Amino acid sequence: MYRLLIRPILFKFDPEKVHHFTFSLIRFLHKIPFVGSLINSYYEVKSLKLEREVFGLKFKNPVGLAAGFDKDAKLYQELSNFGFGFIEIGTLTPKPQEGNPKKRLFRLQEDSAIINRMGFNNGGVEEAIIRLKKNNGVLIGGNIGKNKITPNEEAVNDYVICFEALFDYVDYFVVNVSSPNTPNLRELQEKEPLKALLNTLQNLNLKKNKPKPILLKIAPDLTNEQLLDIIEIVNETKIAGVIASNTTISREGLESANKSEMGGLSGKPLTNRSTEVIRFLSEKSNKSFPIIGVGGIHCAKDALEKLDAGASLIQLYTGFIYEGPKLIKEINKALLKKSSV
Ligand SMILES: Cc1cc2nc3c(=O)[nH]c(=O)nc-3n(C[C@H](O)[C@H](O)[C@H](O)COP(=O)(O)O)c2cc1C
């Protein structure tokens, strides 16, 4: 129904407006009695066989919503009814910021892809916390970044502010240094600044009563040499794991008219590269840390490939837009089928 009826209508309109419209629609539907539980009973695949324990957390299934969709933690409760095992909010920055000028989100339909240059538009960490206080049991990842106006030399402070503020309200943290849409952000992926950033956060973390898993989200455009550095840094700083990957700056093999827009590319053109990164990290690290696999998952096969390559959990964004919420159910059903053969 989504691909045949809903998507063709939604895809006639501006992508960012559709995003806000869909949020309002989902919220409105959930105000009608029983609709939330109806959605949940249709989409959620419930089985003990889908449960995963990763970095000390218990996930009801391994399919999550990737960062950027619910940046401000406005809809995580309702979105979890579509069967996600966990929801990652953010990227949040200490202060609210507008992000880049519109238009900044583009569909590449011929390529089943999206280019975005949103630029961390968000209402700031404090505003998100007000909403997270109402969380009724959804497993939440908190993806954190720096404000655009903060120079890289002071970036650590921004991550610390977000980390401390969110600590009581999220289950795991993601340090985002891999968005291509904040000028110079990806320079923080260089060995020395990255070590300093992760060590600072991990030291604060270890002082807490119950430390929380900290993950690093990386770009798919890193070279093998840089990926080996990432393995070294993860092992040295003893953070919990890696999310591979963010959007790419590559434009290889694209056919759509919008292909030259600036920003990060997500969706099908990213499928193989992000799986390759997962496999490389998993093999070269001897599986010494968990990986969340994300990038171009548009069908159950794509998800299984990422898990086979070494991911412990997976996340969706662009596939959710193109294939609709049924994709979550399809992946979980395929996983169940696989576990029973
Ligand atoms: C419109 C849009 C906004 C995004 N915003 C963020 C973000 O704020 N933080 C982040 O870590 N990743 C962000 N991402 C990246 C996704 O979380 C994901 O890593 C990437 O899109 C690859 O997965 P996909 O091919 O399933 O979309 C965004 C992606 C899109 C399409």
Side-chain angles (χ1 to χ4, degrees):
M1 176 155 110
Y2 178 83
R3 286 196 59 160
L4 279 172
L5 269 169
I6 301 174
R7 190 177 88 177
I9 298 170
L10 294 180
F11 275 23
K12 285 201 186 316
F13 299 93
D14 173 73
E16 196 168 343
K17 286 197 177 124
V18 169
H19 184 79
H20 293 301
F21 168 77
T22 317
F23 261 50
S24 308
L25 182 67
I26 294 173
R27 197 176 293 128
F28 169 76
L29 289 174
H30 276 80
K31 294 221 187 317
I32 306 168
F34 307 115
V35 168
S37 34
L38 274 176
I39 291 175
N40 183 259
S41 62
Y42 180 72
Y43 285 107
E44 188 168 329
V45 185
K46 291 193 172 89
S47 168
L48 290 178
K49 286 187 186 153
L50 289 174
E51 284 184 6
R52 300 287 187 275
E53 199 168 323
V54 189
F55 34 80
L57 298 176
K58 208 166 189 183
F59 295 78
K60 61 185 176 179
N61 72 61
V63 186
L65 178 64
F69 192 84
D70 188 15
K71 287 179 193 274
D72 287 310
K74 285 184 172 165
L75 204 69
Y76 62 89
Q77 204 83 52
E78 291 87 345
L79 287 166
S80 79
N81 275 333
F82 290 99
F84 287 114
F86 60 110
I87 306 266
E88 194 170 304
I89 56 135
T91 297
L92 288 165
T93 56
K95 296 188 200 89
Q97 62 180 27
E98 292 279 325
N100 289 322
K102 293 173 185 165
K103 195 175 173 196
R104 54 192 180 178
L105 184 57
F106 306 87
R107 287 186 208 102
L108 281 71
Q109 258 179 264
E110 289 83 354
D111 300 299
S112 300
I114 290 175
I115 290 178
N116 93 81
R117 51 169 179 269
M118 305 301 287
F120 292 171
N121 56 309
N122 77 106
V125 70
E126 294 301 332
E127 201 190 277
I129 289 169
I130 297 172
R131 301 189 191 100
L132 289 170
K133 283 183 177 168
K134 297 182 189 141
N135 185 2
N136 194 12
V138 181
L139 200 151
I140 298 281
N143 183 310
I144 57 178
K146 73 165 195 79
N147 279 112
K148 185 179 176 182
I149 54 161
T150 306
N152 270 5
E153 304 75 62
E154 291 163 31
V156 176
N157 295 340
D158 276 15
Y159 288 88
V160 167
I161 292 170
C162 293
F163 177 79
E164 291 288 10
L166 278 172
F167 192 85
D168 290 333
Y169 307 102
V170 298
D171 297 288
Y172 69 87
F173 280 97
V174 182
V175 177
N176 183 6
V177 283
S178 48
S179 164
N181 301 316
T182 295
N184 308 326
L185 184 82
R186 286 176 308 156
E187 286 171 14
L188 298 174
Q189 285 181 124
E190 299 290 329
K191 214 167 169 180
E192 290 315 315
L194 188 55
K195 259 195 218 169
L197 171 61
L198 295 177
N199 272 326
T200 305
L201 293 174
Q202 191 63 322
N203 286 339
L204 288 171
N205 197 24
L206 294 174
K207 283 191 193 124
K208 306 277 182 191
N209 242 344
K210 249 182 121 184
K212 299 215 159 148
I214 298 177
L215 287 91
L216 172 70
K217 185 163 179 178
I218 60 167
D221 308 310
L222 298 179
T223 60
N224 284 353
E225 205 178 316
Q226 288 173 309
L227 290 174
L228 290 174
D229 284 345
I230 296 288
I231 294 174
E232 190 190 312
I233 292 166
V234 173
N235 288 331
E236 227 179 278
T237 58
K238 298 191 173 56
I239 60 162
V242 169
I243 302 196
S245 69
N246 214 316
T247 53
T248 176
I249 52 169
S250 159
R251 294 292 185 266
E252 221 180 285
L254 298 181
E255 286 171 13
S256 307
N258 280 333
K259 67 181 177 190
S260 304
E261 290 293 342
M262 295 272 286
L265 172 73
S266 59
K268 272 194 188 168
L270 187 57
T271 316
N272 291 339
R273 176 59 192 158
S274 72
T275 307
E276 208 173 84
V277 171
I278 294 162
R279 184 168 291 115
F280 186 91
L281 289 176
S282 175
E283 283 177 7
K284 298 288 177 195
S285 69
N286 292 320
K287 299 189 185 347
S288 62
F289 50 81
I291 299 166
I292 300 185
V294 51
I297 298 176
H298 286 246
C299 62
K301 180 175 152 279
D302 297 338
L304 295 179
E305 272 173 15
K306 287 216 171 11
L307 295 164
D308 286 342
S312 305
L313 304 164
I314 51 144
Q315 291 177 323
L316 318 171
Y317 191 137
T318 308
F320 185 49
I321 308 281
Y322 274 87
E323 314 302 329
K326 225 176 161 189
L327 177 60
I328 309 151
K329 188 172 173 175
E330 272 167 24
I331 296 171
N332 278 320
K333 285 210 151 165
L335 285 170
L336 266 188
K337 200 169 157 199
K338 202 180 170 203
S339 71
S340 59
V341 286

